[in-house]
Amino acid sequence: MSKIKEVSDKIKEEVCQVFKGNTDVVDMVLACLFAGGHVLLEDVPGTGKTVLAKSVAKASGLEFSRIQCTPDLMPSDVTGSSVWLPDSKSFEFRAGPVMASIVLVDELNRATPRTQSALLECMAENQVSVDGIRHELEKPFFVLATENPVESEGTFPLPEAQKDRFMMTLSMGYPSEAEEAEIITAQRSLIHPVENVKAVVAKNDILEAMKETVEIHVDDAVLSYLISLTKASRNDLRIAAGVSPRGSIALYKACQAYAAVNGRTFVTPEDVKLLALPVFRKRIILTSDSLLKGYTADKIINELIETVPVPAFRAHV
């Protein structure tokens, strides 16, 4: 499994030259990339969401495109459309920005639900349907979306089906004083530091790492623990809708990739505990009574993690 560790270390080293902050977030983003998932970066403006997304894309050496969401963005602006050619008297498909390996969807909640839905098929089935014709997307296909959770004017809440398409929802948090000083001094240049990020791996390296990810061992005890967590979310009276089987699959794959990124050939219960929050936080719906009492998804998930017994576990060698 050295290929995954080698590839992730190269990308992380290059990304961390410009992204100053919580490096654990970088590991989780890379885990989602290798697991074939997608990431929603949710935090207040100015915390480095776009910088992280762009630097990961550039360091990965994959084809990159960006979609800046606005209320007037149309579905065809995302997927592409058929254009009439007078000379040949026929239609020709012109691919949209979603036809790339890594797609940054900036401020996703500024797009209307109609446009947001244009990403559902892409993210779930790796294909785009336009005028009844299916167009396969490149592999790997990785969506990095950003969302501002504190602003409501001119935004549209993500539907549950849309949130369920993301393997993880991550928050950057504010940097430390030392990290913020580095961020400020790095801006003393005519170009943004992210422009200096170079491709350190190739597309084939990413594809090889993705193949190795599925071979990471998951012990029966760890799988049982994972299922116990999802079951606890379904039985909690404060939760109207618990984690679905798709959420269980997302956590399973995320743990495999995260273990590989950290140089291990097996998943531990600690991986499950660490990743349960970012994987589950958008996959549960609280009851109205729980919301009135001040409960949040993060608080309840953390309580479930603390209450569900951790199994006895012996590392797989």
Coordinates of all heavy atoms in Angstrom, one line a residue, residues 156-244:
F156 N -29.7 29.2 -1.2 CA -30.8 28.2 -1.2 C -30.3 27.0 -0.4 O -29.2 26.5 -0.7 CB -31.1 27.8 -2.6 CG -31.6 29.0 -3.5 CD1 -30.6 29.8 -4.2 CD2 -32.9 29.3 -3.6 CE1 -31.0 30.8 -5.0 CE2 -33.3 30.4 -4.4 CZ -32.3 31.2 -5.1
P157 N -31.0 26.5 0.5 CA -30.6 25.3 1.3 C -30.4 24.1 0.4 O -31.2 23.9 -0.6 CB -31.7 25.1 2.3 CG -32.9 25.8 1.7 CD -32.4 26.9 0.9
L158 N -29.4 23.3 0.7 CA -29.1 22.1 -0.1 C -30.2 21.0 0.2 O -30.5 20.8 1.4 CB -27.8 21.5 0.2 CG -26.6 22.5 -0.1 CD1 -25.3 21.7 0.2 CD2 -26.6 23.0 -1.5
P159 N -30.8 20.4 -0.8 CA -31.8 19.3 -0.5 C -31.0 18.1 0.1 O -29.8 18.0 -0.1 CB -32.4 19.0 -1.8 CG -31.3 19.5 -2.8 CD -30.7 20.7 -2.2
E160 N -31.8 17.3 0.8 CA -31.2 16.1 1.4 C -30.5 15.2 0.5 O -29.4 14.7 0.7 CB -32.2 15.3 2.2 CG -32.9 16.1 3.3 CD -31.9 16.7 4.3 OE1 -30.9 16.0 4.7 OE2 -32.1 17.9 4.7
A161 N -31.0 15.0 -0.7 CA -30.4 14.2 -1.8 C -29.0 14.7 -2.2 O -28.1 14.0 -2.4 CB -31.3 14.1 -3.0
Q162 N -28.9 16.1 -2.2 CA -27.7 16.7 -2.6 C -26.6 16.5 -1.5 O -25.5 16.2 -1.8 CB -27.9 18.2 -2.8 CG -26.6 19.0 -3.3 CD -26.3 18.7 -4.7 OE1 -27.1 19.1 -5.6 NE2 -25.2 18.1 -5.0
K163 N -27.0 16.7 -0.2 CA -26.1 16.6 0.9 C -25.6 15.1 1.0 O -24.5 14.9 1.4 CB -26.7 17.0 2.2 CG -27.0 18.5 2.2 CD -27.5 19.0 3.6 CE -28.9 18.6 3.8 NZ -29.5 19.3 5.0
D164 N -26.5 14.2 0.6 CA -26.1 12.8 0.8 C -25.1 12.3 -0.3 O -24.5 11.3 -0.2 CB -27.4 11.9 0.6 CG -27.2 10.5 1.3 OD1 -26.5 10.5 2.3 OD2 -27.7 9.6 0.7
R165 N -24.9 13.2 -1.3 CA -23.9 12.8 -2.4 C -22.5 13.1 -1.9 O -21.6 12.6 -2.5 CB -24.2 13.6 -3.7 CG -25.5 13.3 -4.4 CD -25.5 11.9 -4.9 NE -26.7 11.7 -5.8 CZ -27.9 11.3 -5.5 NH1 -28.2 11.2 -4.2 NH2 -28.8 11.1 -6.4
F166 N -22.3 13.9 -0.9 CA -21.0 14.2 -0.4 C -20.5 13.2 0.6 O -21.3 12.9 1.6 CB -21.0 15.6 0.2 CG -21.2 16.7 -0.8 CD1 -22.4 17.4 -0.9 CD2 -20.1 17.1 -1.6 CE1 -22.6 18.4 -1.8 CE2 -20.3 18.2 -2.5 CZ -21.5 18.8 -2.6
M167 N -19.4 12.6 0.4 CA -18.8 11.7 1.3 C -18.6 12.3 2.7 O -18.9 11.7 3.7 CB -17.5 11.0 0.8 CG -16.9 10.0 1.7 SD -15.6 9.1 0.9 CE -16.5 7.9 0.0
M168 N -18.0 13.5 2.7 CA -17.7 14.2 3.9 C -18.1 15.7 3.8 O -18.0 16.3 2.8 CB -16.2 14.1 4.3 CG -15.7 12.8 4.7 SD -14.0 13.0 5.3 CE -13.3 11.4 4.9
T169 N -18.4 16.2 5.0 CA -18.6 17.7 5.1 C -17.6 18.2 6.1 O -17.6 17.8 7.3 CB -20.0 18.0 5.6 OG1 -21.0 17.5 4.7 CG2 -20.2 19.6 5.7
L170 N -16.7 19.0 5.7 CA -15.5 19.4 6.5 C -15.6 20.9 6.8 O -16.0 21.7 6.0 CB -14.2 19.1 5.8 CG -14.0 17.6 5.4 CD1 -12.7 17.5 4.6 CD2 -13.9 16.8 6.7
S171 N -15.1 21.3 7.9 CA -15.0 22.7 8.3 C -13.5 23.0 8.6 O -12.8 22.2 9.2 CB -15.8 22.9 9.6 OG -15.6 24.2 10.1
M172 N -13.1 24.1 8.1 CA -11.6 24.5 8.2 C -11.3 25.0 9.6 O -10.2 24.6 10.1 CB -11.3 25.6 7.2 CG -12.0 25.5 5.8 SD -11.6 24.0 4.9 CE -9.9 24.4 4.5
G173 N -12.1 25.8 10.1 CA -11.8 26.5 11.4 C -10.8 27.6 11.2 O -10.2 27.8 10.1
Y174 N -10.6 28.5 12.2 CA -9.7 29.6 12.1 C -8.3 29.1 12.4 O -8.0 28.2 13.2 CB -10.0 30.7 13.1 CG -11.3 31.4 12.8 CD1 -12.5 31.3 13.6 CD2 -11.4 32.3 11.7 CE1 -13.6 31.9 13.3 CE2 -12.6 32.9 11.4 CZ -13.7 32.8 12.3 OH -14.8 33.4 12.0
P175 N -7.3 29.7 11.7 CA -5.9 29.3 11.9 C -5.4 29.8 13.2 O -6.0 30.7 13.8 CB -5.2 29.9 10.7 CG -6.0 31.2 10.4 CD -7.4 30.7 10.7
S176 N -4.3 29.3 13.7 CA -3.6 29.8 14.9 C -2.9 31.1 14.6 O -2.9 31.5 13.4 CB -2.5 28.8 15.4 OG -1.5 28.7 14.4
E177 N -2.5 31.8 15.6 CA -1.8 33.1 15.4 C -0.6 33.0 14.5 O -0.4 33.8 13.6 CB -1.4 33.7 16.7 CG -2.6 34.2 17.6 CD -2.1 34.9 18.8 OE1 -0.9 35.2 19.0 OE2 -3.0 35.1 19.7
A178 N 0.2 31.9 14.7 CA 1.4 31.7 13.9 C 1.0 31.4 12.4 O 1.7 31.9 11.5 CB 2.2 30.6 14.5
E179 N 0.0 30.6 12.3 CA -0.4 30.3 10.9 C -1.0 31.5 10.2 O -0.8 31.7 9.0 CB -1.5 29.1 11.0 CG -0.9 27.8 11.4 CD -2.0 26.8 11.8 OE1 -3.1 27.2 12.0 OE2 -1.6 25.6 11.8
E180 N -1.8 32.3 10.9 CA -2.3 33.5 10.3 C -1.2 34.5 9.9 O -1.3 35.1 8.8 CB -3.3 34.2 11.2 CG -4.1 35.2 10.6 CD -5.4 35.6 11.3 OE1 -5.6 35.0 12.4 OE2 -6.2 36.4 10.8
A181 N -0.2 34.5 10.7 CA 1.0 35.4 10.3 C 1.6 34.9 9.0 O 2.0 35.7 8.1 CB 2.0 35.4 11.4
E182 N 1.7 33.6 8.9 CA 2.3 33.0 7.6 C 1.4 33.3 6.4 O 1.9 33.6 5.3 CB 2.4 31.5 7.8 CG 3.6 31.1 8.6 CD 3.8 29.6 8.6 OE1 4.1 29.0 7.5 OE2 3.6 28.9 9.6
I183 N 0.1 33.3 6.7 CA -0.9 33.5 5.6 C -0.8 35.0 5.1 O -0.7 35.3 3.9 CB -2.3 33.3 6.1 CG1 -2.5 31.8 6.3 CG2 -3.3 33.7 5.0 CD1 -3.8 31.4 7.0
I184 N -0.6 35.9 6.1 CA -0.6 37.3 5.7 C 0.7 37.6 5.0 O 0.7 38.3 3.9 CB -0.7 38.2 7.0 CG1 -2.1 38.0 7.6 CG2 -0.4 39.6 6.7 CD1 -2.2 38.6 9.0
T185 N 1.9 37.1 5.5 CA 3.2 37.4 4.8 C 3.3 36.8 3.5 O 4.0 37.3 2.6 CB 4.3 37.0 5.7 OG1 4.1 35.6 6.1 CG2 4.4 37.8 7.0
A186 N 2.6 35.6 3.3 CA 2.6 35.0 2.0 C 1.9 35.8 0.9 O 2.2 35.6 -0.3 CB 2.0 33.6 2.1
Q187 N 1.1 36.7 1.3 CA 0.3 37.5 0.3 C 1.2 38.7 -0.2 O 0.7 39.5 -1.0 CB -0.9 38.1 0.9 CG -1.9 37.0 1.3 CD -2.5 36.2 0.1 OE1 -2.7 36.8 -0.9 NE2 -2.8 35.0 0.3
R188 N 2.4 38.9 0.3 CA 3.3 40.0 -0.2 C 3.9 39.6 -1.5 O 5.1 39.4 -1.6 CB 4.3 40.3 0.9 CG 3.8 40.7 2.2 CD 4.9 40.8 3.3 NE 6.0 41.7 2.9 CZ 7.1 41.9 3.7 NH1 7.2 41.2 4.8 NH2 8.0 42.7 3.3
S189 N 3.0 39.5 -2.5 CA 3.5 39.1 -3.8 C 2.5 39.6 -4.8 O 1.3 39.9 -4.5 CB 3.6 37.5 -3.9 OG 3.8 37.1 -5.2
L190 N 2.9 39.7 -6.1 CA 2.0 40.2 -7.1 C 1.0 39.1 -7.6 O 0.0 39.4 -8.2 CB 2.8 40.7 -8.3 CG 3.7 41.9 -8.1 CD1 4.5 42.2 -9.3 CD2 2.8 43.1 -7.7
I191 N 1.4 37.8 -7.3 CA 0.5 36.7 -7.6 C 0.1 36.0 -6.4 O 0.8 36.0 -5.4 CB 1.1 35.8 -8.6 CG1 2.4 35.1 -8.0 CG2 1.4 36.4 -9.9 CD1 2.9 34.0 -8.9
H192 N -1.1 35.3 -6.4 CA -1.5 34.6 -5.3 C -0.6 33.3 -5.1 O -0.2 32.7 -6.1 CB -3.0 34.1 -5.4 CG -3.6 33.7 -4.2 ND1 -3.4 32.4 -3.7 CD2 -4.5 34.3 -3.3 CE1 -4.1 32.3 -2.6 NE2 -4.8 33.4 -2.3
P193 N -0.3 33.0 -3.8 CA 0.6 31.8 -3.6 C 0.1 30.5 -4.2 O 0.9 29.7 -4.6 CB 0.6 31.7 -2.1 CG 0.3 33.1 -1.6 CD -0.6 33.7 -2.6
V194 N -1.2 30.3 -4.4 CA -1.7 29.1 -5.0 C -1.2 28.9 -6.4 O -1.2 27.8 -7.0 CB -3.2 29.0 -4.9 CG1 -3.9 29.9 -6.0 CG2 -3.8 27.6 -5.0
E195 N -0.9 30.0 -7.1 CA -0.4 29.9 -8.5 C 1.0 29.2 -8.6 O 1.4 28.8 -9.6 CB -0.3 31.3 -9.1 CG -1.6 32.1 -9.2 CD -2.7 31.3 -10.0 OE1 -2.3 30.7 -11.0 OE2 -3.9 31.3 -9.6
N196 N 1.7 29.2 -7.5 CA 3.0 28.5 -7.4 C 2.9 27.0 -7.2 O 3.9 26.3 -7.2 CB 3.9 29.2 -6.4 CG 4.2 30.6 -6.6 OD1 4.4 31.0 -7.8 ND2 4.2 31.5 -5.6
V197 N 1.7 26.5 -6.9 CA 1.5 25.1 -6.7 C 1.8 24.3 -8.0 O 1.2 24.7 -9.1 CB 0.1 24.8 -6.1 CG1 -0.1 23.2 -6.0 CG2 0.0 25.4 -4.8
K198 N 2.6 23.3 -7.9 CA 2.9 22.5 -9.1 C 2.3 21.1 -9.0 O 2.1 20.6 -7.9 CB 4.4 22.4 -9.3 CG 5.1 23.8 -9.5 CD 6.6 23.6 -9.7 CE 7.3 24.9 -9.9 NZ 7.1 25.9 -8.9
A199 N 2.1 20.5 -10.2 CA 1.6 19.1 -10.2 C 2.8 18.2 -9.8 O 3.9 18.2 -10.4 CB 1.2 18.7 -11.6
V200 N 2.6 17.4 -8.7 CA 3.6 16.5 -8.2 C 3.3 15.1 -8.5 O 4.2 14.2 -8.2 CB 3.8 16.8 -6.7 CG1 4.4 18.2 -6.4 CG2 2.5 16.6 -5.9
V201 N 2.1 14.7 -8.9 CA 1.8 13.4 -9.3 C 1.0 13.4 -10.6 O 0.7 14.5 -11.1 CB 0.9 12.7 -8.2 CG1 1.7 12.5 -6.9 CG2 -0.4 13.4 -8.0
A202 N 0.8 12.3 -11.2 CA 0.1 12.2 -12.5 C -1.2 11.5 -12.3 O -1.5 10.9 -11.3 CB 1.0 11.5 -13.5
K203 N -2.1 11.5 -13.3 CA -3.4 10.9 -13.3 C -3.3 9.4 -13.0 O -4.1 8.9 -12.2 CB -4.1 11.1 -14.6 CG -5.5 10.5 -14.6 CD -6.2 10.9 -16.0 CE -7.6 10.3 -16.0 NZ -8.3 10.6 -17.3
N204 N -2.4 8.7 -13.6 CA -2.2 7.3 -13.4 C -1.8 7.0 -11.9 O -2.2 5.9 -11.4 CB -1.1 6.7 -14.3 CG -1.6 6.6 -15.7 OD1 -2.8 6.6 -16.0 ND2 -0.7 6.5 -16.7
D205 N -1.1 7.9 -11.3 CA -0.8 7.7 -9.8 C -2.0 7.7 -9.0 O -2.2 6.9 -8.1 CB 0.2 8.8 -9.4 CG 1.6 8.7 -10.1 OD1 2.0 7.6 -10.3 OD2 2.1 9.7 -10.4
I206 N -2.9 8.6 -9.3 CA -4.2 8.7 -8.6 C -5.0 7.5 -8.8 O -5.6 6.9 -7.8 CB -5.0 10.0 -9.0 CG1 -4.2 11.2 -8.8 CG2 -6.3 10.0 -8.2 CD1 -3.9 11.6 -7.4
L207 N -5.1 7.0 -10.0 CA -5.9 5.8 -10.3 C -5.4 4.6 -9.6 O -6.1 3.7 -9.1 CB -6.0 5.6 -11.8 CG -6.8 6.7 -12.6 CD1 -6.6 6.5 -14.1 CD2 -8.2 6.7 -12.2
E208 N -4.0 4.4 -9.6 CA -3.4 3.3 -8.9 C -3.7 3.3 -7.4 O -4.0 2.3 -6.8 CB -1.9 3.3 -9.2 CG -1.5 2.9 -10.6 CD 0.0 2.9 -10.7 OE1 0.7 2.6 -9.7 OE2 0.5 3.2 -11.8
A209 N -3.6 4.5 -6.9 CA -3.9 4.7 -5.4 C -5.4 4.3 -5.1 O -5.7 3.7 -4.1 CB -3.6 6.1 -5.0
M210 N -6.3 4.7 -6.0 CA -7.7 4.4 -5.8 C -7.9 2.9 -5.9 O -8.8 2.4 -5.1 CB -8.6 5.1 -6.9 CG -8.6 6.6 -6.8 SD -9.5 7.4 -8.1 CE -11.2 7.0 -7.6
K211 N -7.2 2.2 -6.7 CA -7.4 0.7 -6.8 C -6.9 0.1 -5.5 O -7.4 -0.9 -5.0 CB -6.6 0.2 -8.0 CG -7.2 0.5 -9.4 CD -6.4 0.0 -10.5 CE -7.0 0.4 -11.9 NZ -6.1 -0.1 -13.0
E212 N -5.8 0.6 -5.0 CA -5.2 0.0 -3.7 C -6.1 0.3 -2.5 O -6.1 -0.5 -1.6 CB -3.8 0.5 -3.5 CG -2.8 0.0 -4.5 CD -1.4 0.5 -4.1 OE1 -1.2 1.1 -3.1 OE2 -0.4 0.1 -4.9
T213 N -6.8 1.4 -2.6 CA -7.7 1.8 -1.4 C -8.7 0.7 -1.1 O -8.9 0.4 0.1 CB -8.4 3.1 -1.7 OG1 -7.4 4.1 -1.9 CG2 -9.3 3.5 -0.6
V214 N -9.3 0.1 -2.1 CA -10.4 -0.9 -1.8 C -9.8 -2.2 -1.2 O -10.6 -3.0 -0.7 CB -11.2 -1.2 -3.1 CG1 -11.8 0.0 -3.6 CG2 -10.3 -1.8 -4.1
E215 N -8.5 -2.3 -1.2 CA -7.9 -3.5 -0.6 C -7.5 -3.4 0.9 O -7.1 -4.3 1.5 CB -6.6 -3.9 -1.4 CG -6.9 -4.2 -2.9 CD -5.6 -4.4 -3.7 OE1 -4.5 -4.4 -3.0 OE2 -5.6 -4.5 -4.9
I216 N -7.7 -2.2 1.4 CA -7.4 -2.0 2.8 C -8.3 -2.9 3.7 O -9.6 -2.9 3.5 CB -7.6 -0.5 3.2 CG1 -6.7 0.4 2.4 CG2 -7.4 -0.3 4.7 CD1 -5.2 0.1 2.7
H217 N -7.7 -3.6 4.6 CA -8.5 -4.5 5.4 C -9.4 -3.9 6.5 O -8.9 -2.9 7.1 CB -7.5 -5.5 6.2 CG -8.1 -6.4 7.1 ND1 -8.8 -7.6 6.6 CD2 -8.2 -6.5 8.4 CE1 -9.3 -8.2 7.7 NE2 -9.0 -7.6 8.8
V218 N -10.6 -4.4 6.6 CA -11.5 -3.9 7.6 C -11.9 -5.1 8.4 O -12.6 -6.0 7.9 CB -12.8 -3.2 7.0 CG1 -13.7 -2.7 8.2 CG2 -12.4 -2.0 6.1
D219 N -11.5 -5.2 9.7 CA -11.8 -6.3 10.6 C -13.3 -6.4 10.8 O -14.1 -5.4 10.8 CB -11.1 -6.1 11.9 CG -11.1 -7.4 12.7 OD1 -10.4 -8.3 12.5 OD2 -12.0 -7.4 13.7
D220 N -13.8 -7.6 11.1 CA -15.3 -7.8 11.3 C -15.7 -7.0 12.6 O -16.8 -6.4 12.6 CB -15.6 -9.2 11.6 CG -15.5 -10.1 10.3 OD1 -15.5 -9.4 9.2 OD2 -15.4 -11.3 10.4
A221 N -14.8 -6.9 13.6 CA -15.2 -6.1 14.8 C -15.3 -4.6 14.4 O -16.2 -3.9 15.0 CB -14.1 -6.3 15.8
V222 N -14.5 -4.1 13.6 CA -14.6 -2.7 13.2 C -15.8 -2.5 12.3 O -16.5 -1.4 12.5 CB -13.3 -2.3 12.4 CG1 -13.4 -0.8 11.9 CG2 -12.0 -2.4 13.2
L223 N -16.1 -3.4 11.4 CA -17.4 -3.3 10.6 C -18.6 -3.3 11.5 O -19.5 -2.5 11.3 CB -17.4 -4.4 9.6 CG -18.7 -4.4 8.8 CD1 -18.9 -3.2 8.0 CD2 -18.6 -5.6 7.8
S224 N -18.6 -4.2 12.5 CA -19.7 -4.2 13.5 C -19.9 -2.9 14.2 O -21.0 -2.5 14.5 CB -19.5 -5.4 14.4 OG -20.5 -5.5 15.4
Y225 N -18.7 -2.3 14.6 CA -18.8 -1.1 15.3 C -19.3 0.0 14.4 O -20.1 0.9 14.9 CB -17.3 -0.7 15.8 CG -17.2 0.7 16.4 CD1 -18.0 1.0 17.5 CD2 -16.3 1.6 15.9 CE1 -17.8 2.3 18.1 CE2 -16.1 2.8 16.5 CZ -16.9 3.2 17.6 OH -16.8 4.4 18.2
L226 N -18.9 0.1 13.2 CA -19.4 1.1 12.2 C -20.9 0.9 12.1 O -21.7 1.9 12.1 CB -18.7 0.8 10.9 CG -19.0 1.8 9.7 CD1 -17.8 1.8 8.8 CD2 -20.2 1.5 9.0
I227 N -21.4 -0.3 12.0 CA -22.9 -0.5 11.8 C -23.6 -0.1 13.1 O -24.7 0.4 13.0 CB -23.1 -2.0 11.4 CG1 -22.6 -2.3 10.0 CG2 -24.6 -2.3 11.4 CD1 -22.6 -3.7 9.6
S228 N -23.0 -0.4 14.2 CA -23.6 0.0 15.5 C -23.8 1.5 15.6 O -24.8 2.0 16.1 CB -22.8 -0.5 16.7 OG -22.7 -1.9 16.7
L229 N -22.9 2.3 15.1 CA -23.0 3.7 15.1 C -24.2 4.2 14.2 O -24.9 5.1 14.6 CB -21.7 4.4 14.6 CG -20.6 4.6 15.6 CD1 -19.3 5.1 14.9 CD2 -21.0 5.5 16.7
T230 N -24.3 3.6 13.0 CA -25.4 4.0 12.1 C -26.7 3.6 12.7 O -27.7 4.4 12.6 CB -25.2 3.4 10.7 OG1 -25.1 2.0 10.8 CG2 -23.9 3.9 10.1
K231 N -26.7 2.4 13.3 CA -28.0 2.0 13.9 C -28.4 2.9 15.1 O -29.6 3.2 15.3 CB -27.8 0.5 14.4 CG -29.1 -0.1 15.0 CD -28.9 -1.5 15.4 CE -30.2 -2.1 16.0 NZ -29.9 -3.5 16.4
A232 N -27.4 3.3 15.9 CA -27.7 4.2 17.0 C -28.3 5.5 16.5 O -29.2 6.1 17.2 CB -26.4 4.5 17.8
S233 N -27.9 6.0 15.3 CA -28.5 7.2 14.8 C -29.9 7.1 14.4 O -30.7 8.0 14.4 CB -27.7 7.7 13.6 OG -27.9 6.9 12.4
R234 N -30.3 5.8 14.0 CA -31.7 5.5 13.6 C -32.6 5.3 14.8 O -33.8 5.5 14.7 CB -31.7 4.3 12.7 CG -30.9 4.4 11.4 CD -30.7 3.1 10.7 NE -29.7 3.2 9.7 CZ -29.1 2.2 9.1 NH1 -29.5 0.9 9.4 NH2 -28.2 2.3 8.1
N235 N -32.0 5.0 15.9 CA -32.8 4.7 17.1 C -32.9 5.9 18.1 O -33.6 5.8 19.1 CB -32.3 3.5 17.9 CG -32.4 2.2 17.0 OD1 -33.2 2.1 16.2 ND2 -31.5 1.2 17.3
D236 N -32.1 6.9 17.8 CA -32.1 8.1 18.7 C -33.4 8.9 18.5 O -33.7 9.3 17.4 CB -30.9 9.0 18.4 CG -30.6 10.0 19.6 OD1 -31.5 10.8 19.8 OD2 -29.5 9.9 20.2
L237 N -34.1 9.2 19.6 CA -35.4 9.9 19.5 C -35.3 11.3 19.1 O -36.2 12.0 18.7 CB -36.1 9.8 20.9 CG -36.5 8.4 21.3 CD1 -37.2 8.4 22.7 CD2 -37.5 7.7 20.3
R238 N -34.1 11.9 19.2 CA -33.8 13.2 18.8 C -33.6 13.4 17.3 O -33.6 14.5 16.8 CB -32.6 13.8 19.6 CG -32.7 13.9 21.1 CD -31.4 14.1 21.7 NE -30.4 13.0 21.5 CZ -29.2 13.0 22.0 NH1 -28.7 14.1 22.7 NH2 -28.4 12.0 21.7
I239 N -33.5 12.3 16.6 CA -33.2 12.3 15.2 C -34.5 11.7 14.4 O -35.0 10.7 14.7 CB -32.0 11.4 14.9 CG1 -30.8 11.9 15.6 CG2 -31.8 11.3 13.4 CD1 -29.5 11.1 15.5
A240 N -35.0 12.6 13.5 CA -36.1 12.2 12.7 C -35.8 11.2 11.7 O -36.5 10.3 11.3 CB -36.8 13.4 12.1
A241 N -34.6 11.3 11.1 CA -34.1 10.4 10.0 C -32.6 10.2 10.3 O -31.8 11.1 10.2 CB -34.3 11.0 8.6
G242 N -32.3 8.9 10.5 CA -30.9 8.5 10.8 C -30.1 8.3 9.5 O -30.5 8.6 8.4
V243 N -28.9 7.8 9.7 CA -28.0 7.6 8.6 C -28.4 6.4 7.8 O -28.8 5.3 8.3 CB -26.5 7.3 9.2 CG1 -25.6 7.0 8.0 CG2 -26.1 8.5 10.0
S244 N -28.5 6.6 6.5 CA -28.9 5.6 5.5 C -27.8 4.6 5.2 O -26.6 4.9 5.6 CB -29.4 6.2 4.2 OG -28.3 6.8 3.5

